[in-house]
Amino acid sequence: MSLDDDVSPLVLISSGIELEGQQCIYALFVTLTADSALPRRCVEFEGKSIGQHTTDTQKVKILQHINTLRRRIDTWSHVQLLYMPCVSRLQSPDDITSEDKVHKIKLFLPSSLPSSFPCDVHLLRYEWDLREAQANDALSDLRTVINMTYHLYKYKDAFVRGQRANTRAQGIIHSAESRIDAISVKYTAARDALVMLASKLGKNDDWRRILKPLDRTKDAVPLKHDEGKTVGQQNISWIWKTARVSNNQEDGLQDCEGSYTLANML
């Protein structure tokens, strides 16, 4: 039953997950800019890549993005109280006072509520369905970008010559690696939520055989990292063996994407 004319229970949960994703993007940016020892990477804000060395214009855009996100979270939180009144006991006024902490505001989606707090089972089921779809979509995106990155490396090694071209090519590859970082965070967040929801909903462990824990350094890497071995000799990650792995025809399209992207940007 909808308690708001514009926001149904399903829309509430879907919007909350979207806001969480925006928080994750900003959290990646904060980590990137705070630690100079990290590899030079970029994070996408509203479709534009922003790296460790931001311009004044980019800083203004980031501040606008943060303020917009904070306002959206504030609006969403007020609607959330209609469906989840118990959350009022968990919310803190300090959550929205600091602009640079917007990525740390707790949304208290059904999956993150303490077990002692009541929650409508319909909200739990809505989040389960959305999280399961989110995790599967993230795996599909991850495979696509990893495959693209592999071909970016291949194209760079075979055809790119000269310092300027190599610098540009490396920047494109870094951008692809950053996309892998972001997708990996998205998948892990979805899976962590599913773990909590499975307990609340009494789910069996069948889903765990498909949606396994993701190791960014071992699972989300191009196959090129095992140089000198055939595909059959490599230790293939579980992400390539799940039920929703693309068929051969789709893989063929993905194989072309990396080289096509790099060739057109150099």
Side-chain angles (χ1 to χ4, degrees), residues 20-250:
E20 179 190 76
Q22 292 296 309
Q23 287 181 304
C24 288
I25 291 175
Y26 181 59
L28 279 175
F29 176 77
V30 170
T31 302
L32 175 75
T33 54
D35 192 346
S36 59
L38 291 174
R40 294 186 62 185
R41 298 277 178 85
C42 298
V43 175
E44 286 195 0
F45 271 103
E46 298 179 343
K48 295 186 178 180
S49 294
I50 297 178
Q52 288 170 310
H53 306 292
T54 56
T55 65
D56 290 339
T57 300
Q58 288 174 329
K59 289 178 181 178
V60 171
K61 290 288 185 182
I62 294 170
L63 184 58
Q64 291 174 344
H65 178 90
I66 292 170
N67 288 334
T68 299
L69 178 57
R70 187 182 58 178
R71 287 194 297 270
R72 288 185 62 197
I73 291 175
D74 189 38
T75 300
W76 179 86
S77 296
H78 281 85
V79 178
Q80 181 190 29
L81 291 177
L82 294 175
Y83 295 98
M84 303 169 63
C86 65
V87 168
S88 61
R89 289 183 282 160
L90 298 171
Q91 291 175 335
S92 168
D94 296 334
D95 282 342
I96 59 173
T97 56
S98 180
E99 292 177 353
D100 62 341
K101 302 295 185 182
V102 67
H103 60 295
K104 294 184 178 181
I105 297 176
K106 295 180 180 179
L107 301 181
F108 298 111
L109 285 158
S111 59
S112 61
L113 287 179
S115 57
S116 58
F117 279 66
C119 184
D120 190 314
V121 69
H122 293 94
L123 296 179
L124 292 169
R125 288 170 180 166
Y126 285 143
E127 187 178 359
W128 173 272
D129 291 341
L130 291 168
R131 291 293 193 178
E132 193 172 34
Q134 182 186 33
N136 278 297
D137 288 346
L139 280 183
S140 179
D141 292 342
L142 195 60
R143 290 188 289 262
T144 298
V145 180
I146 290 173
N147 203 10
M148 183 184 76
T149 305
Y150 167 72
H151 287 282
L152 287 173
Y153 276 115
K154 282 186 66 176
Y155 187 91
K156 175 179 175 292
D157 293 343
F159 300 108
V160 176
R161 298 292 181 269
Q163 182 176 354
R164 182 177 179 182
N166 268 286
T167 300
R168 293 190 65 186
Q170 200 60 46
I172 296 168
I173 290 172
H174 282 161
S175 180
E177 293 282 2
S178 295
R179 287 179 63 189
I180 293 175
D181 289 340
I183 297 169
S184 298
V185 169
K186 180 180 178 180
Y187 172 81
T188 299
R191 190 185 184 280
D192 288 346
L194 286 171
V195 170
M196 302 304 297
L197 290 166
S199 175
K200 295 173 184 287
L201 290 169
K203 296 283 186 179
N204 59 38
D205 289 339
D206 289 348
W207 67 274
R208 292 176 183 265
R209 290 193 282 270
I210 298 175
L211 302 174
K212 301 179 181 181
L214 180 72
D215 187 325
R216 170 65 177 91
T217 60
K218 294 180 180 179
D219 298 318
V221 293
L223 296 180
K224 184 184 176 181
H225 287 197
D226 285 335
E227 294 182 0
K229 297 181 180 179
T230 66
V231 173
Q233 293 174 320
Q234 294 185 38
N235 295 321
I236 306 298
S237 167
W238 65 267
I239 68 172
W240 304 101
K241 304 174 184 178
T242 59
R244 289 181 59 174
V245 173
S246 303
N247 60 37
N248 291 335
Q249 183 180 4
E250 290 174 337

Side-chain angles (χ1 to χ4, degrees), residues 147 247-257:
N147 203 10
N247 60 37
N248 291 335
Q249 183 180 4
E250 290 174 337
D251 284 344
L253 292 174
Q254 292 174 8
D255 287 349
C256 299
E257 184 179 350

